[in-house]
Amino acid sequence: MDAPATTSADNGTSGGGDGWFASRAQTTPPQSAAPRDAAAAGPRQPVPPSSGSGAPLQRSVPAQQASPDAVLVRRTMAEVGPVADKVTSYFYALLFVRHPDLRSLFPAAMDTQRDRLLKALLTAAEHIDNTEVLVAYLQNLGRGHRKYGTRAEHYPAVGECLIGALARYASAVWDAETEAAWVRTYTTISQVMIDAAATDELRAPAWWYAEVVSHELRTRDVAVVTVRPDQPYPFLAGQYTSVETPWWPRIWRHYSFASAPRSDGLLSFHVKAVPAGWVSNALVHRARPGDIIRLGPPAGSMTVDHTTDSGLLCLGGGTGIAPIKALVEDVAERGERRPVEVFYGARSDHDLYDIDTMLRLQQSHPWLAVRPVVDRHGLIQLPDAIRSFGPWYEYDAYVSGPPGMIRSGVDVLRDIGVPSERIRHDALEDLVTAEG
C-alpha cells in the first residue's frame, strides 16, 4: 500500500510510487490471489495515453464550483497540513492496533512511506469535484494496489482509521457535517478503487515474476538491468512499472521501461542508486543474473500519439533518458518519419552514460536529432538550451527526469509557446516516492 500515484531517481525516468492511502509517484501493494497463468488471467491491455500531460491530476476545478463536501474536505486538509507527520503517525497507530492483521501488508520499515498518506489525500481532495480526472487516477491506483494484497474488505478499516486521525488533529473545524462529508468522500474514492481492482483481476495477474538476465554497470551508480517476465507483459513505450526486490519485501519503486516492447519479451530499466535508496541500491549493487524480482502492472500516459504526425520534443535528464529512448524506438518501429528532437541533459560528460546508444539511433534515423546538454558549473541549463532551437509550438513535448528538472522544463516549454495540453510527463508525486 502506497500513496496515490506516475519517473524516478530510482527509476531514472525518471517513474514514481503508488499505493493505498498508506504505503510514484506514478498514475501503487502485495496483492490478492490472481490467476498466475496467462490463459487464466487474460491479456492485459496497455494503459492508453490520456490527453495532455502524463500527470493525470494536474487540472483543478475553480474554487467557485466546489461542492459542499469539497469545501469541508479542503478545510480539513488545510487544518491538518501543518501537523501532517502527526496525522500520519496516528493513522498508522490506529490501523495497526485496531487491525493488526493488516500490518503484514506494509514494509517492515515504515519510514519509507510515512508521508504518502497525506500526499494521497491532498491529491484526492484537491480534485474531489473533477470526476473525470479523479476517477481515472483512482482506477489506476486501485489496479496497482492489487500487488500489495489489498482486498475490498481492507478499505473500511483504512477509512475508519483515517477519519479517526483527521478528527483528532482537525478538531478546530471537525463536526458532524465534516465527518459525514469525509465518509461520503472516502466511500466514493474507495469504491472506485475496489471496482477497478475487481475488473483488472479478471484479465491480468496482480504482479509478474521476472528473472534478471543481464546487469550492466554503466557508471559507479547507474545500471542497465534487463529482465525476462514469467508471462507476457504488454505495455506501451514511455510507460513505467513498479519493482520489488527479494531483499526488501513489500517495498516497491517505479522505473520506466528503457525500450519499446521487444519481440523477445525482455524488459530493460535504467536504475540510478540514490543515497539511502533501498530498492535502487539493491538493483544497482546487489542484483545479478538469475535473481527474481516482481513487477507491478504498467502505468503512465507519457506515450506517443500515433494518430498525428506532430514532431516530438523530448527532454531527458539523467536516467530520464530511458523512456525517451523507448519513445524514439516506438516511432522508428512504426516507420514514421516525424521529426524527433532529443535534448539529453546531464551534470557532467560522465553522466551521459547512454549517449552512444542515442547517437547510434541518430545515425540510423535522419528524422532524429540528439543534443547532449552538460551543465558545467551551472553555466548551461537544459531548459535554457531548448530556447536556442525551435520553434516548438507545433511539437508534442515529453519531459523525463528528476522532479526539479521536470518543473523547470515544463515552465520553459510553456514560456516558449508549447500548449500545456501538449506537454507530457509522469506525475511529480510519483517521482518523489519513486526515489529509494
Side-chain angles (χ1 to χ4, degrees):
M1 328 205 146
D2 280 335
T6 178
T7 266
S8 104
D10 227 71
N11 79 331
T13 142
S14 233
D18 55 13
W20 211 357
F21 282 103
S23 185
R24 34 180 270 60
Q26 156 111 191
T27 206
T28 139
Q31 86 259 335
S32 59
R36 293 305 304 153
D37 61 281
R44 169 185 291 278
Q45 296 302 314
V47 178
S50 62
S51 60
S53 167
L57 291 185
Q58 292 181 329
R59 292 168 285 169
S60 60
V61 176
Q64 65 269 23
Q65 298 181 20
S67 67
D69 280 0
V71 171
L72 294 172
V73 166
R74 290 170 183 155
R75 185 175 68 179
T76 305
M77 298 311 301
E79 182 72 15
V80 301
V83 290
D85 284 348
K86 293 181 179 179
V87 176
T88 303
S89 296
Y90 190 71
F91 163 79
Y92 283 121
L94 287 179
L95 187 65
F96 296 156
V97 169
R98 295 180 181 178
H99 307 278
D101 55 308
L102 297 185
R103 182 63 181 88
S104 63
L105 300 183
F106 294 83
M110 293 294 293
D111 59 326
T112 63
Q113 63 181 42
R114 281 178 49 83
D115 62 346
R116 298 185 184 182
L117 168 62
L118 266 297
K119 287 183 179 179
L121 292 176
L122 286 169
T123 301
E126 179 186 357
H127 302 274
I128 194 66
D129 284 345
N130 196 340
T131 303
E132 178 183 357
V133 174
L134 183 61
V135 166
Y137 175 79
L138 293 172
Q139 286 176 334
N140 186 59
L141 196 59
R143 289 189 292 264
H145 284 164
R146 291 181 55 215
K147 68 178 179 289
Y148 295 96
T150 308
R151 299 192 301 272
E153 58 266 30
H154 295 154
Y155 283 87
V158 172
E160 166 203 331
C161 297
L162 168 63
I163 289 175
L166 292 174
R168 178 183 177 92
Y169 286 96
S171 57
V173 299
W174 195 264
D175 54 23
E177 187 179 8
T178 300
E179 180 168 332
W182 271 100
V183 169
R184 287 189 293 268
T185 298
Y186 181 78
T187 299
T188 299
I189 288 172
S190 60
Q191 193 60 54
V192 172
M193 296 172 66
I194 290 169
D195 291 346
T199 299
D200 196 58
E201 190 170 3
L202 299 176
R203 62 193 180 104
W207 69 73
W208 286 252
Y209 289 104
E211 178 185 359
V212 177
V213 296
S214 72
H215 184 282
E216 179 187 356
L217 200 62
R218 291 287 183 87
T219 72
R220 182 177 59 186
D221 57 1
V222 174
V224 176
V225 182
T226 302
V227 303
R228 178 185 292 110
D230 64 337
Q231 55 185 296
Y233 189 102
F235 71 98
L236 300 174
Q239 289 190 304
Y240 62 89
T241 187
S242 49
V243 175
E244 179 205 54
T245 71
W247 303 285
W248 300 107
R250 300 186 299 281
I251 295 180
W252 297 76
R253 294 294 182 264
H254 284 169
Y255 297 92
S256 292
F257 300 105
S259 67
R262 296 166 46 163
S263 59
D264 59 11
L266 297 182
L267 310 171
S268 291
F269 308 97
H270 293 183
V271 183
K272 178 180 177 63
V274 298
W278 294 7
V279 176
S280 63
N281 278 283
L283 289 173
V284 172
H285 299 303
R286 192 166 183 175
R288 294 294 181 269
D291 290 333
I292 303 297
I293 63 176
R294 288 202 297 172
L295 308 177
S301 58
M302 199 180 77
T303 54
V304 178
D305 181 359
H306 292 288
T307 65
T308 76
D309 58 0
S310 301
L312 274 62
L313 170 60
C314 303
L315 284 62
T319 47
I321 199 63
I324 300 300
K325 182 170 79 73
L327 295 176
V328 171
E329 292 179 355
D330 188 30
V331 172
E333 290 175 5
R334 297 265 180 159
E336 299 169 345
R337 299 182 62 85
R338 58 203 298 185
V340 179
E341 301 273 346
V342 174
F343 289 81
Y344 183 1
R347 294 183 177 179
S348 68
D349 291 329
H350 177 72
D351 293 326
L352 294 171
Y353 68 91
D354 210 34
I355 188 62
D356 290 343
T357 302
M358 298 304 299
L359 292 178
R360 283 196 297 271
L361 287 170
Q362 179 180 247
Q363 291 176 349
S364 301
H365 306 296
W367 41 262
L368 172 64
V370 177
R371 310 181 194 280
V373 181
V374 177
D375 182 357
R376 301 187 187 281
H377 307 294
L379 297 179
I380 301 178
Q381 298 291 335
L382 177 59
D384 295 335
I386 300 166
R387 299 180 186 274
S388 303
F389 299 87
W392 304 116
Y393 54 86
E394 292 185 349
Y395 279 65
D396 292 332
Y398 298 80
V399 190
S400 177
M405 192 220 84
I406 290 181
R407 292 187 184 95
S408 60
V410 169
D411 287 344
V412 169
L413 291 170
R414 289 171 176 164
D415 288 345
I416 62 178
V418 179
S420 295
E421 64 271 15
R422 301 186 76 163
I423 302 174
R424 297 185 180 220
H425 60 85
D426 286 329
L428 294 178
E429 60 265 30
D430 286 343
L431 307 189
V432 173
T433 58
E435 298 189 13

